[in-house]
Amino acid sequence: MLLSIQKVSKAFGGLWALRNVDLDVEEGEVLGLIGPNGAGKTTLFNCITGYYRPTSGKIVFQSVDIVGLPPYKISRLGIARTFQLTKGFNNLTVFDNIRIASLVSGAALKDVWEILRLVGLEEKKDVYVGSLTLIERKKLELARALTIRPKLLLLDEVMSGLKPSEADEILKVISDINKKGVTVIIVEHVMRTIMRICKRVAVLDYGVKIAEGSPEEVMRDERVIKAYLGEEFVA
């Protein structure tokens, strides 16, 4: 077991964003995390990465309780993430953006070249970030996260805004990253993506885990259908 989330709750004043969430993540898997907007998915990511401290509960990563550790220490343990909104230094090249991230993380120059090849940005290394397309920015976000050589990678709606063909391209990159031994948790609204890459899915609704299992099992769950699958999805 790589990550164990045990009875984690998070309150903001009188609002409970998470309530007693239990979730184990096995080394090497790609786990899908789904649910309606406001279900607590990003809040859970923020608790795992140290941006929020849970109100109660434990988060254990490789036998270490990481609750209370600052984000930079959690990152050094091997947990990386992407964000819903892609950001970069627009007046610098793709290579320089990844190189800056590598200087912070301590990655070697050879690692930068390997990451460029892995995410498919090798031919764009000298292009300024301000002129990148959306899918290229998504790849850059992945590349910067990879500079810490993560054991666990948290992806927050990395397919958002992409065309189906572009989503397939990112899906291939994520699969290649996973084959390198990186465990992945992916938050995604595109069920086609979840069905293709995840063997296990957990569902949050109003901060509560309401279902967990294979994608097929989850999609047949009446609680999930009522809370979530009535929404519109990209097929």
Side-chain angles (χ1 to χ4, degrees):
M1 199 65 61
L2 185 70
L3 179 74
S4 181
I5 298 167
Q6 304 170 14
K7 303 296 181 186
V8 166
S9 297
K10 177 61 181 176
F12 297 95
L15 175 65
W16 289 92
L18 296 171
R19 283 182 178 270
N20 295 319
V21 174
D22 286 315
L23 186 63
D24 290 332
V25 183
E26 297 179 5
E27 187 173 354
E29 77 170 320
V30 180
L31 173 71
L33 183 62
I34 67 173
N37 291 330
K41 304 180 298 294
T42 298
T43 298
L44 185 59
F45 272 13
N46 285 334
C47 288
I48 295 169
T49 52
Y51 288 92
Y52 296 156
R53 179 169 185 150
T55 304
S56 61
K58 294 177 66 175
I59 301 175
V60 179
F61 180 70
Q62 290 193 312
S63 302
V64 177
D65 188 349
I66 60 175
V67 170
L69 293 181
Y72 77 91
K73 287 190 175 180
I74 292 175
S75 174
R76 288 175 181 174
L77 289 174
I79 300 178
R81 71 173 295 179
T82 64
F83 294 85
Q84 292 179 17
L85 299 178
T86 60
K87 295 182 180 180
F89 298 105
N90 289 337
N91 59 338
L92 296 178
T93 65
V94 167
F95 179 87
D96 287 338
N97 269 260
I98 301 174
R99 182 59 174 154
I100 289 171
S102 74
L103 292 173
V104 175
S105 66
L109 185 59
K110 64 180 179 63
D111 295 326
V112 176
W113 289 109
E114 181 181 349
I115 290 168
L116 278 167
R117 288 190 291 270
L118 183 59
V119 303
L121 285 178
E122 193 173 15
E123 294 183 359
K124 297 288 184 176
K125 64 181 179 63
D126 295 322
V127 174
Y128 286 96
V129 168
S131 63
L132 293 181
T133 63
L134 178 59
I135 186 174
E136 290 165 349
R137 284 180 172 270
K138 300 278 189 177
K139 289 180 177 181
L140 178 61
E141 187 81 358
L142 284 168
R144 293 192 301 177
L146 290 174
T147 61
I148 73 161
R149 299 181 290 272
K151 300 166 186 172
L152 174 63
L153 179 60
L154 311 179
L155 303 178
D156 198 348
E157 295 192 33
V158 71
M159 311 287 182
S160 177
L162 298 181
K163 301 174 184 176
S165 61
E166 294 173 329
D168 288 343
E169 193 174 334
I170 293 294
L171 199 64
K172 173 64 166 56
V173 174
I174 295 170
S175 180
D176 289 342
I177 291 170
N178 180 242
K179 288 175 182 177
K180 292 284 186 180
V182 181
T183 303
V184 178
I185 306 177
I186 179 170
V187 166
E188 188 52 64
H189 283 291
V190 182
M191 290 306 298
R192 172 175 169 269
T193 298
I194 293 295
M195 295 289 289
R196 289 184 60 185
I197 199 171
C198 301
K199 292 184 178 179
R200 191 163 61 96
V201 178
V203 187
L204 294 180
D205 184 39
Y206 289 106
V208 176
K209 189 181 77 173
I210 62 170
E212 181 181 348
S214 71
E216 294 79 12
E217 291 169 338
V218 164
M219 290 185 72
R220 291 195 300 265
D221 191 298
E222 292 184 3
R223 294 168 300 176
V224 179
I225 294 171
K226 181 178 180 180
Y228 186 50
L229 294 182
E231 296 182 358
E232 293 182 0
F233 293 94
V234 178

